[in-house]
Amino acid sequence: NAGVTQTPKFQVLKTGQSMTLQCAQDMNHNSMYWYRQDPGMGLRLIYYSASEGTTDKGEVPNGYNVSRLNKREFSLRLESAAPSQTSVYFCASSETGGAYEQYFGPGTRLTVT
Amino acid sequence: DAKTTQPNSMESNEEEPVHLPCNHSTISGTDYIHWYRQLPSQGPEYVIHGLTSNVNNRMASLAIAEDRKSSTLILHRATLRDAAVYYCILRGAWMDSSYKLIFGSGTRLLVRP
C-alpha cells in the first residue's frame, strides 16, 4: 500500500497563477482532508470531505477550492495564487469518526513569488 | 472546538522515559484524545488515541486523568528518532462537527544522546 500520495512535491508559482494539488489514498477511507502548515506553526485545516460527494470548509478556506473526484482522490486548487499561500500543504485521509486516526501524505512545498 | 494546552518544548536523555503533558479542561464527553507527532520535513504521524481508559501500543502509552481534563503521552525509552513535535488533539465523535483534527502548536521534544 502506498498510503496517501501527493503531487507535486515542490512547486514555485508567480502571483496570480493557478494550480491544482493532487492527493490520492489507497486505504478505502471515506474522509479526506487538506491542511496547510506555515513555518513554525501547527497545521490548519483548509477543506475536508467527510465522504465521497461532500466537501466542507475548514479553518482557512479562502483562496482555495476542492474537488472530491471519487473515493480515492481529493484535489486542492488555487485559482489565483498569492504570496500568503506560500506554505507546505498536507493531504490526509481517515475512516469517518472520532475513534479513527488520520494518515498524512508527505506534503507539497509551495512557494508563491 | 475544545482546545488543548501543551508546553512549547521539553528535553530528554536518550533511553530515558519521557512524559509529555496535555491539558484539555473543556473536553466534552464524546471527544477522543489523539496524539500525533511530526518529524522534521515530514507529515504528521499518528501515535496513539484514547477516550477514557489508559492505552498502550507499540509506540507509546497514553495516560488519561480520571476527570479527562488532562492526559500524558509516555515514551518509555526515548531514542534520537523520537525527536519531533508532538501534538495533542481532541477529536469529536462522528456526528459532531469537530471530528476533524484541529492542531495547536505542539511540544517540541529534544532528545540528547
Side-chain angles (χ1 to χ4, degrees), chain A residues 42-58:
Chain A
L43 278 73
R44 291 184 293 170
L45 183 67
I46 305 171
Y47 270 94
Y48 63 100
S49 171
S51 60
E52 188 178 354
T54 69
T55 60
D56 285 287
K57 295 178 181 178

Side-chain angles (χ1 to χ4, degrees), chain A residues 31 33 35 37 41-43 45 48-50 57-59 90 94-102 104-106 109, chain B residues 1 30 32 34 36 38 41-46 49 87 91-94 97 99-106 108:
Chain A
S31 300
Y33 311 80
Y35 293 88
Q37 186 173 34
M41 307 284 286
L43 278 73
L45 183 67
Y48 63 100
S49 171
K57 295 178 181 178
E59 301 172 80
F90 291 101
S94 75
E95 288 297 345
T96 302
Y100 297 100
E101 63 268 32
Q102 288 193 356
F104 286 81
R109 188 173 297 274
Chain B
D1 297 315
T30 56
Y32 288 82
H34 283 246
Y36 287 75
Q38 188 173 21
S41 301
Q42 294 189 25
E45 173 187 30
Y46 167 78
H49 77 276
Y87 296 98
R91 191 174 188 197
W94 155 233
S97 63
Y99 74 92
K100 54 192 182 293
L101 298 180
I102 302 295
F103 284 77
S105 53
R108 184 173 298 277

Side-chain angles (χ1 to χ4, degrees), chain B residues 26-40:
Chain B
T26 60
I27 190 171
S28 76
T30 56
D31 283 343
Y32 288 82
I33 302 160
H34 283 246
W35 283 82
Y36 287 75
R37 72 181 186 181
Q38 188 173 21
L39 279 64

Side-chain angles (χ1 to χ4, degrees), chain A residues 10-105:
Chain A
F10 301 93
Q11 184 71 49
V12 178
L13 291 178
K14 293 190 187 318
T15 297
Q17 288 184 319
S18 62
M19 79 161 295
T20 299
L21 281 64
Q22 306 286 356
C23 174
Q25 52 95 6
D26 62 2
M27 294 172 281
N28 203 36
H29 287 159
N30 285 313
S31 300
M32 296 186 73
Y33 311 80
W34 277 105
Y35 293 88
R36 62 176 286 175
Q37 186 173 34
D38 299 331
M41 307 284 286
L43 278 73
R44 291 184 293 170
L45 183 67
I46 305 171
Y47 270 94
Y48 63 100
S49 171
S51 60
E52 188 178 354
T54 69
T55 60
D56 285 287
K57 295 178 181 178
E59 301 172 80
V60 289
N62 291 345
Y64 305 95
N65 286 303
V66 290
S67 295
R68 183 74 183 267
L69 304 169
N70 47 55
K71 192 171 187 180
R72 288 188 65 248
E73 298 172 289
F74 188 38
S75 63
L76 179 72
R77 183 160 178 84
L78 287 70
E79 290 292 350
S80 179
S84 60
Q85 294 178 304
T86 294
S87 191
V88 181
Y89 291 84
F90 291 101
C91 177
S93 72
S94 75
E95 288 297 345
T96 302
Y100 297 100
E101 63 268 32
Q102 288 193 356
Y103 294 84
F104 286 81

Side-chain angles (χ1 to χ4, degrees), chain B residues 5-58:
Chain B
T5 304
Q6 299 177 253
N8 289 334
S9 62
M10 292 185 65
E11 294 187 15
S12 171
N13 294 319
E14 197 175 11
E15 297 190 5
E16 290 185 355
V18 181
H19 291 231
L20 298 167
C22 181
N23 287 320
H24 29 79
S25 59
T26 60
I27 190 171
S28 76
T30 56
D31 283 343
Y32 288 82
I33 302 160
H34 283 246
W35 283 82
Y36 287 75
R37 72 181 186 181
Q38 188 173 21
L39 279 64
S41 301
Q42 294 189 25
E45 173 187 30
Y46 167 78
V47 177
I48 199 166
H49 77 276
L51 184 61
T52 56
S53 303
N54 294 345
V55 183
N56 300 299
N57 67 20
R58 63 174 180 82

